[in-house]
Amino acid sequence: MGESVELIAGAIKLIGAGLVVIGAGVGIGRIGGSAMEAIARQPEATNKIQTAMLIAAALIEGIGFAALFAVA
Amino acid sequence: MCTFAADLENNKSPIMQKIVRFLLVLALITPVAAFASGGHGDDHGEKKEKTKEEKRAENKEYVKHHTNDSHDFGLFTIEGEKGEEDSHVGFPLPVILWEDGLHIFMSSKFHHGHEVVESNGKYFVLDYHDGKIYNADEHGNILKKEVDGEEVKLAPLDFSITKNVLVTILMAVLLFFLFRGIAKSYKTGLAPTGAAKFFEPIIVFIRDEIAIPNIGEGSHKKYMPYLLTVFFFIWFLNLAGMTPLGINVTGNIAVTCALAIMTFVITNATAKKNYWLHIFWMPGVPIPMKILLMPIEIIGVFVKPFALMIRLYANMLAGHIVLGSLIAVVFFFDAFLAKTAFVGLTFFLNIIELLVALLQAYIFTMLTALYFGAAAEEAHH
């Protein structure tokens, strides 16, 4: 009984971490895509857009890593 | 012939560019080759009989060995003939322990975890699997203590000069002399000479693209030394991690923790009134919101450096594990085509990692500058 509960808890943890990583991936993908569109519209603002993109991506990445560390 | 000589004098000539490009590619390939041959040796003869499970365990061990800190600087291992032990080539590092008094000896005394070391009446063993030193009796049995029904291995306080510590010290010395030389070269004239020629654009980039937009003209000067130090320190250590020496300093949570703590202390020690106002009594929102925001902002003060720490650590460690695993996969397959494909993939990822090494240094510096900017901001009403 106790063993199976532990197994299920472990499985749920892993699934949760997977969901967070998927979310982070989608988020970073959207940031990248939007940055591409923005650069296409305003090529002269490329530098500013790139900087903002990297910061936002780094912040989201942190959440993904936090999820990985919660299960590791 | 004349044109060739003229080409050589002009740095922007196509021939010179080709030579530089060739050297760059060579420099990129070498680590992969050396890494691959260094860790594993050839899979021939009786080694072919290894089962998949054995190979898997060996690969896991290989990746762990390259990402963990260690008490000796291993360069490479020569696999022993049948019946002989593998011989490790490298140099030992000093071990400094505190256990009812100071114990100092060289790590070569452990013979790679095979022998018990006696120092001032105490016995120590090195567990070669996790690289840690434990207390033991004279027969080499690790002393254990029972805590909450679980057995815990007893370990002394370890202040050893490990591989990571040694590389960090060497890098600090290198940075000190390199940048002192650069600073000196500006005393003779405004035009950069020597190493300054290469580093000036990067330093100017950090000032103009990272410090000034985030912190603001004027107050950025106070923070520039730290930003430059942290950028080059992280970048150089990341690059050192790309060499086949198996250095993984920035992929060590203690190192990134120390860097994050420095950012945390500088942010809060130099913060102006406006910064604290935004944390404890957010201006421009209704009073219930002010009370609600206060705990969130206080948590935010600690979460920011924590995220800095985790980001750099996880990125570098993950990069090393992925690269190490891919190199191990090359030896996992027997088919020539699969081996070739994975060598190509490893090469590609190695180049990506070179980019990540720079990117992570940039992001750490960028976010640090962002936090400094929030601290240095004056009220604008």
Side-chain angles (χ1 to χ4, degrees), chain B residues 143-196:
Chain B
L143 300 180
K144 284 172 183 167
K145 194 175 72 175
E146 207 153 291
V147 179
D148 299 330
E150 272 183 68
E151 284 203 326
V152 182
K153 290 176 184 168
L154 284 177
L157 286 175
D158 194 347
F159 299 101
S160 306
I161 309 288
T162 59
K163 190 158 80 171
N164 282 354
V165 177
L166 178 77
V167 173
T168 311
I169 292 170
L170 287 180
M171 203 53 81
V173 171
L174 172 76
L175 280 177
F176 178 74
F177 284 108
L178 180 64
F179 285 94
R180 242 173 67 97
I182 290 175
K184 257 189 197 163
S185 79
Y186 284 94
K187 291 209 171 109
T188 51
L190 274 178
T193 53

Side-chain angles (χ1 to χ4, degrees), chain B residues 73-85:
Chain B
F73 208 116
L75 294 175
F76 53 87
T77 303
I78 302 166
E79 277 193 40
E81 299 288 311
K82 223 175 183 179
E84 280 179 43
E85 278 191 8

Side-chain angles (χ1 to χ4, degrees), chain B residues 120-140:
Chain B
N120 297 341
K122 298 269 175 191
Y123 295 92
F124 302 104
V125 287
L126 174 71
D127 188 337
Y128 203 56
H129 292 287
D130 63 2
K132 288 198 177 92
I133 293 172
Y134 294 108
N135 290 336
D137 57 19
E138 65 258 50
H139 303 298

Side-chain angles (χ1 to χ4, degrees), chain B residues 19-324:
Chain B
I19 293 170
V20 168
R21 225 174 274 163
F22 174 73
L23 286 177
L24 271 177
V25 169
L26 205 68
L28 285 172
I29 295 170
T30 333
V32 185
F35 220 133
S37 61
H40 262 249
D42 292 329
D43 279 23
H44 57 69
E46 71 272 11
K47 301 276 179 197
K48 270 252 164 74
E49 289 154 23
K50 276 177 190 161
T51 61
K52 276 204 164 159
E53 274 65 41
E54 274 174 347
K55 272 186 168 183
R56 223 168 255 163
E58 198 180 54
N59 288 348
K60 216 174 171 184
E61 190 71 19
Y62 162 72
V63 172
K64 237 178 92 181
H65 181 74
H66 274 273
T67 49
N68 276 0
D69 196 4
S70 73
H71 282 279
D72 56 90
F73 208 116
L75 294 175
F76 53 87
T77 303
I78 302 166
E79 277 193 40
E81 299 288 311
K82 223 175 183 179
E84 280 179 43
E85 278 191 8
D86 296 354
S87 53
H88 305 277
V89 180
F91 49 90
L93 297 168
V95 174
I96 304 164
L97 302 172
W98 181 268
E99 178 73 34
D100 298 332
L102 205 58
H103 304 273
I104 300 173
F105 49 90
M106 292 303 279
S107 70
S108 53
K109 274 191 165 183
F110 284 119
H111 287 96
H112 299 279
H114 295 307
E115 277 177 32
V116 189
V117 172
E118 191 265 329
S119 169
N120 297 341
K122 298 269 175 191
Y123 295 92
F124 302 104
V125 287
L126 174 71
D127 188 337
Y128 203 56
H129 292 287
D130 63 2
K132 288 198 177 92
I133 293 172
Y134 294 108
N135 290 336
D137 57 19
E138 65 258 50
H139 303 298
N141 301 313
I142 294 172
L143 300 180
K144 284 172 183 167
K145 194 175 72 175
E146 207 153 291
V147 179
D148 299 330
E150 272 183 68
E151 284 203 326
V152 182
K153 290 176 184 168
L154 284 177
L157 286 175
D158 194 347
F159 299 101
S160 306
I161 309 288
T162 59
K163 190 158 80 171
N164 282 354
V165 177
L166 178 77
V167 173
T168 311
I169 292 170
L170 287 180
M171 203 53 81
V173 171
L174 172 76
L175 280 177
F176 178 74
F177 284 108
L178 180 64
F179 285 94
R180 242 173 67 97
I182 290 175
K184 257 189 197 163
S185 79
Y186 284 94
K187 291 209 171 109
T188 51
L190 274 178
T193 53
K197 250 183 201 169
F198 180 75
F199 285 105
E200 192 186 86
I202 304 171
I203 294 166
V204 168
F205 173 82
I206 293 171
R207 189 190 65 194
D208 290 351
E209 304 292 327
I210 296 179
I212 291 178
N214 286 310
I215 303 173
E217 184 95 55
S219 48
H220 78 278
K221 275 189 184 157
K222 190 165 57 170
Y223 298 107
M224 273 305 284
Y226 178 69
L227 292 177
L228 284 171
T229 310
V230 95
F231 177 82
F232 284 107
F233 186 69
I234 294 173
W235 186 31
F236 281 19
L237 280 176
N238 287 349
L239 286 180
M242 296 303 298
T243 60
L245 296 173
I247 298 162
N248 187 27
V249 180
T250 38
N252 186 318
I253 200 157
V255 175
T256 58
C257 182
L259 289 170
I261 286 173
M262 278 190 259
T263 298
F264 173 77
V265 168
I266 294 174
T267 309
N268 289 291
T270 62
K272 300 236 167 73
K273 197 178 131 201
N274 195 38
Y275 171 79
W276 297 113
L277 190 71
H278 273 82
I279 287 171
F280 291 111
W281 209 243
M282 185 72 82
V285 294
I287 287 182
M289 271 311 274
K290 282 182 203 240
I291 295 165
L292 205 71
L293 277 175
M294 188 168 64
I296 297 172
E297 287 287 336
I298 291 171
I299 292 169
V301 170
F302 295 100
V303 165
K304 281 171 185 171
F306 184 77
L308 268 185
M309 168 181 86
I310 294 288
R311 183 173 304 112
L312 181 60
Y313 160 66
N315 261 303
M316 293 328 290
L317 184 64
H320 277 98
I321 290 174
V322 168
L323 263 184

Side-chain angles (χ1 to χ4, degrees), chain A residues 28-61:
Chain A
I28 292 176
R30 280 189 57 101
I31 291 167
S34 308
M36 287 274 186
E37 280 170 21
I39 291 170
R41 277 184 204 160
Q42 278 183 296
E44 69 278 5
T46 305
N47 279 339
K48 276 187 181 172
I49 293 167
Q50 254 171 6
T51 311
M53 177 189 82
L54 282 178
I55 292 174
L59 290 174
I60 291 181
E61 198 184 46

Side-chain angles (χ1 to χ4, degrees), chain A residues 3-26:
Chain A
E3 211 170 278
S4 63
V5 167
E6 235 169 60
L7 266 177
I8 293 168
I12 291 174
K13 247 171 128 180
L14 288 175
I15 292 168
L19 286 174
V20 173
V21 172
I22 290 173
V26 170

